[in-house]
Amino acid sequence: MYCTLEDLTKQLPVETILSLTSTEDDEIDTEVTDKAILDAGAEIDGYAAKQYKVPFKNVPAVIRKFAVDIALYNLFSRRGFSEDTQDEVIILRYKAAIKFLENLAKGIVQIGAAEVGESATTNMSQLTAATIKNEARIFTRTKMRGY
């Protein structure tokens, strides 16, 4: 997981997260928040895998930030969005996260200290060296004289 419930509560009041997870015993439903966080991580991995080894062992700060934004978006989307300013901010932050991740996948932006890895389609460590074998040349500069 690239972020925690604690990271979410640093962005929004506990009461807001409680209302988004809606349990009867006035406690945050950690099953719901964990799913939102895991889904955010999977979405991030989908983009980051083009340039980096995923999942990240040491989570870069920017990835943690966008994991929080995406997880909060996932929680808000459970109840649907309204015209509320807070909802608009959550949507804008989600769109910014996706834009960043698209640029990350294209190699336009980098996340710094993370390990650059192979793409999801090619594992460079499994490739073997190529051997090129040429036959003797039929035509050379000296063989072409006189023609």
Side-chain angles (χ1 to χ4, degrees):
M1 291 197 292
Y2 295 145
C3 66
T4 64
L5 176 57
E6 182 180 347
D7 294 323
L8 300 183
T9 59
K10 289 178 184 176
Q11 290 295 316
L12 289 177
V14 172
E15 296 77 27
T16 304
I17 295 174
L18 177 63
S19 72
L20 294 170
T21 61
S22 64
T23 62
E24 293 93 36
D25 56 359
D26 290 335
E27 289 185 18
I28 293 174
D29 187 341
T30 56
E31 206 172 291
V32 172
T33 56
D34 286 351
K35 179 169 179 10
I37 290 168
L38 287 171
D39 288 349
E43 193 165 354
I44 289 168
D45 285 350
Y47 287 99
K50 294 286 262 172
Q51 299 291 331
Y52 297 91
K53 291 179 185 177
V54 293
F56 296 107
K57 292 178 186 168
N58 298 317
V59 182
V62 70
I63 294 298
R64 182 174 312 282
K65 176 205 178 307
F66 289 131
V68 169
D69 292 344
I70 295 170
L72 290 174
Y73 178 87
N74 292 343
L75 290 176
F76 272 77
S77 66
R78 291 183 74 239
R79 68 149 166 82
F81 292 97
S82 67
E83 302 278 326
D84 188 313
T85 304
Q86 186 177 35
D87 287 18
E88 290 176 17
V89 169
I90 294 296
I91 292 168
L92 287 173
R93 290 177 67 158
Y94 174 76
K95 287 180 179 180
I98 297 305
K99 176 99 172 146
F100 176 87
L101 292 170
E102 287 171 346
N103 287 334
L104 183 70
K106 293 175 188 172
I108 295 171
V109 296
Q110 304 232 337
I111 53 177
E115 298 174 20
V116 176
E118 62 273 354
S119 71
T121 56
T122 306
N123 184 346
M124 298 302 285
S125 65
Q126 293 178 350
L127 296 178
T128 58
T131 304
I132 300 172
K133 183 178 177 184
N134 290 334
E135 298 294 325
R137 294 181 79 175
I138 297 172
F139 299 106
T140 65
R141 291 179 192 230
T142 57
K143 287 183 181 179
M144 292 297 294
R145 290 183 197 238
Y147 288 98

